[in-house]
Amino acid sequence: MAQTYDLTKGNVSRLILTFYFPMLFTNLLQQVYTMADTAIIAKGLGDDATAAVGNMASLTFLIIGFSLGLTAGFSVTIAQNYGAKDYAGLRRAIASSIKLAVGITVLLTLFSVVFLRDILLLLKTDDKILNDSLLYGYIIFGGLVSTIAYNMCASILRALGDSKTPLIAIIASSVINVTLNSVTIFIMHTGVEGPAAATIIAQVVSALICYNKLRRIEIIRLTMNDFARDVRMYVSLMKNGISMALMNSITAVGSMVVQYFVNGLGLAYTSAYSICMKYLNLFMDPACTAGFTMSSFASQNYGAKKYSRINEGMKVCLTISFITYLVFGSVMVFMPEMLAKLMLNESERIAIAVRFLPICGVMMFAVDFLFVVRSAVQGMGFPFIPMCSGILEMIMRIVVVMLFIKPFGFEATAYAGVSAWVAALLLNVGAYIMIIRRKLKEKEPIKTGAVLIPQK
């Protein structure tokens, strides 16, 4: 029987770190091969091609971020059933998740492909990069099924406490992706369509690796009965899934508005901004991983009604986030020019990036802590507050960039991001404190032999 991992018992710090590091390497590899994509495109096709692909970032986050939030939300219900040792409910949750994911994949693919040109024009995409952005986007969104399949399989594995198999999958897909990027650009001399196709092929491989592990786990071997219509389960899954998906997409809308203003400043700013966001996403990744870890840990322990362990896990994950902030925030503050020169060629674009990176580096602790606290609230099954925080992020980004783009110029885009992080963090901290205090007042179950008996 393939192994699953129970996060409801044992030393909290050891469990979290054992779960965290494989997932960290997984997410870092994803970011690294995304950076490698950008570097290969920049050196092989030039800064305009880099701008074309970077211009797709906010729209890609809108669509793929929605699907990622959806599968992450489904995994909350899955992890809670696993933590409660309700294996029949666990199988129904997985089967229902698959059915819902298939339908939503079809809808997202059609929407993104049909409206891609209109959205890019709405974002004031420069004519010089419009065709490349379209070509890249059609391939990425046309292969959305592979991305969602991987996210779904990886989310289920993490809900069951397995963060190692997704790491293996990403190692394989990273090697394939970087190799195919180099081959398509430097040997086959394709345009941006080469890296786009390489990304889809790599996602297919990673999805197959995760699926191969899932089919060997005995407690989740599905039968036709598990796929029977279960309205209550659909409601539970959609409550978490749609809320988290909307949170990601609403946040992406704010990012798209910022992208609109950046594009209005000129092509050099579009290129520099895309590189800054690549670095920001890379350096936020360790804290984001701590958030994913906290979500799985909180979900399983909430299902097992072990609320005090959630607080212990929160302390560990916030410590991880603070350490990563000190390291990567310092790099952005003290070495912005070095970072910019690694990815950009023209001195004007390098100078633009140098103006952005230190501002975000100083305040990155806010988003690092936000990942952990928000994930804990989501993992306990309270997705409404995180969704509201996504709306708040969107509002702050839009208001700040509109008010300050004229007096401060490009730096206003950095201030917009920082203000969004701080506002969302404060809202989620307040929600977490209220929820955990209420739950800690409840009596946790004690063990007598193999039986859980509520305390009187």
Side-chain angles (χ1 to χ4, degrees):
M1 180 181 72
Q3 189 177 5
T4 56
Y5 302 87
D6 191 344
L7 302 176
T8 65
K9 52 190 176 185
N11 182 273
V12 171
S13 297
R14 186 181 302 113
L15 281 170
I16 284 179
L17 293 176
T18 301
F19 187 88
Y20 172 80
F21 281 109
M23 192 187 298
L24 174 64
F25 296 141
T26 301
N27 291 343
L28 284 178
L29 274 173
Q30 286 181 306
Q31 292 293 343
V32 166
Y33 84 60
T34 299
M35 297 287 285
D37 281 356
T38 304
I40 291 170
I41 291 169
K43 301 306 178 184
L45 300 177
D47 284 348
D48 285 353
T50 303
V53 175
N55 185 60
M56 285 294 302
S58 58
L59 181 55
T60 300
F61 181 55
L62 174 67
I63 303 299
I64 294 180
F66 184 93
S67 68
L68 182 61
L70 191 77
T71 56
F74 291 169
S75 73
V76 170
T77 302
I78 294 169
Q80 287 181 352
N81 278 280
Y82 179 67
K85 306 299 182 287
D86 179 5
Y87 298 133
L90 172 63
R91 289 189 292 271
R92 289 198 308 275
I94 292 173
S96 298
S97 296
I98 293 170
K99 290 168 66 178
L100 292 171
V102 168
I104 292 173
T105 298
V106 174
L107 293 175
L108 286 177
T109 301
L110 289 174
F111 172 83
S112 56
V113 170
V114 170
F115 293 105
L116 178 59
R117 175 181 285 273
D118 293 333
I119 296 173
L120 288 176
L121 291 175
L122 188 64
L123 291 175
K124 294 175 65 174
T125 301
D126 194 286
D127 289 341
K128 291 173 66 177
I129 64 173
L130 178 61
N131 287 335
D132 275 349
S133 290
L134 282 169
L135 182 57
Y136 186 85
Y138 283 138
I139 295 172
I140 292 295
F141 294 139
L144 194 59
V145 61
S146 64
T147 304
I148 295 179
Y150 166 73
N151 288 336
M152 187 76 250
C153 292
S155 292
I156 295 171
L157 286 168
R158 288 166 182 156
L160 301 177
D162 180 3
S163 60
K164 294 179 182 177
T165 301
L167 171 60
I168 296 170
I170 290 300
I171 290 173
S173 66
S174 298
V175 173
I176 292 170
N177 190 275
V178 173
T179 301
L180 288 178
N181 282 343
S182 300
V183 169
T184 54
I185 290 180
F186 296 115
I187 298 178
M188 298 174 65
H189 302 293
T190 69
V192 295
E193 69 273 16
T199 297
I200 299 303
I201 293 170
Q203 288 281 16
V204 170
V205 172
S206 59
L208 289 174
I209 291 172
C210 290
Y211 170 75
N212 184 57
K213 174 62 179 291
L214 285 171
R215 70 183 184 85
R216 294 186 290 114
I217 301 175
E218 290 182 9
I219 62 172
I220 61 168
R221 286 185 178 170
L222 307 179
T223 66
M224 290 304 297
N225 289 335
D226 296 317
F227 286 92
R229 187 172 64 175
D230 187 338
V231 176
R232 184 175 296 179
M233 184 61 74
Y234 293 156
V235 171
S236 175
L237 290 165
M238 294 298 282
K239 181 189 75 171
N240 290 304
I242 291 297
S243 297
M244 292 172 69
L246 286 176
M247 183 197 71
N248 284 350
S249 292
I250 290 167
T251 303
V253 170
S255 298
M256 290 172 67
V257 173
V258 174
Q259 184 75 59
Y260 168 86
F261 282 99
V262 170
N263 289 349
L265 295 173
L267 189 56
Y269 288 90
T270 301
S271 180
Y273 181 72
S274 69
I275 294 303
C276 290
M277 295 310 296
K278 294 286 186 186
Y279 276 121
L280 190 57
N281 289 334
L282 176 64
F283 292 156
M284 290 190 306
D285 209 58
C288 183
T289 304
F292 282 124
T293 302
M294 189 65 215
S295 178
S296 295
F297 186 84
S299 296
Q300 284 196 20
N301 282 282
Y302 190 85
K305 303 187 187 308
K306 296 185 177 181
Y307 308 120
S308 59
R309 284 175 64 85
I310 297 175
N311 245 353
E312 294 177 50
M314 172 66 77
K315 295 174 184 177
V316 176
C317 289
L318 284 177
T319 300
I320 293 171
S321 293
F322 183 69
I323 293 170
T324 58
Y325 158 68
L326 291 178
V327 174
F328 295 111
S330 297
V331 172
M332 293 177 69
V333 170
F334 297 112
M335 294 184 283
E337 187 172 359
M338 181 201 74
L339 294 174
K341 286 181 177 179
L342 288 174
M343 303 293 288
L344 293 166
N345 301 312
E346 297 180 9
S347 58
E348 178 190 5
R349 304 183 189 205
I350 292 170
I352 293 170
V354 168
R355 291 156 54 187
F356 180 97
L357 291 170
I359 297 171
C360 291
V362 169
M363 293 298 297
M364 200 167 68
F365 73 89
V367 71
D368 286 351
F369 291 168
L370 171 62
F371 286 132
V372 175
V373 180
R374 182 169 60 195
S375 295
V377 176
Q378 291 169 337
M380 291 187 291
F382 295 87
F384 181 72
I385 293 298
M387 185 180 72
C388 290
S389 74
I391 296 173
L392 184 58
E393 282 191 71
M394 178 189 70
I395 293 171
M396 292 301 297
R397 287 180 194 275
I398 294 173
V399 170
V400 171
V401 77
M402 289 180 66
L403 289 178
F404 295 106
I405 192 71
K406 285 188 177 180
F408 291 101
F410 181 64
E411 285 87 337
T413 61
Y415 299 141
V418 167
S419 64
W421 300 339
V422 172
L425 174 62
L426 293 175
L427 180 60
N428 280 278
V429 166
Y432 175 79
I433 292 172
M434 289 177 61
I435 294 166
I436 203 68
R437 280 182 176 175
R438 185 171 72 247
K439 288 298 177 181
L440 286 173
K441 290 179 181 178
E442 298 177 9
K443 298 296 184 180
E444 295 187 4
I446 59 174
K447 267 192 175 180
T448 303
V451 180
L452 287 175
I453 302 176
Q455 292 180 336
K456 295 181 179 180

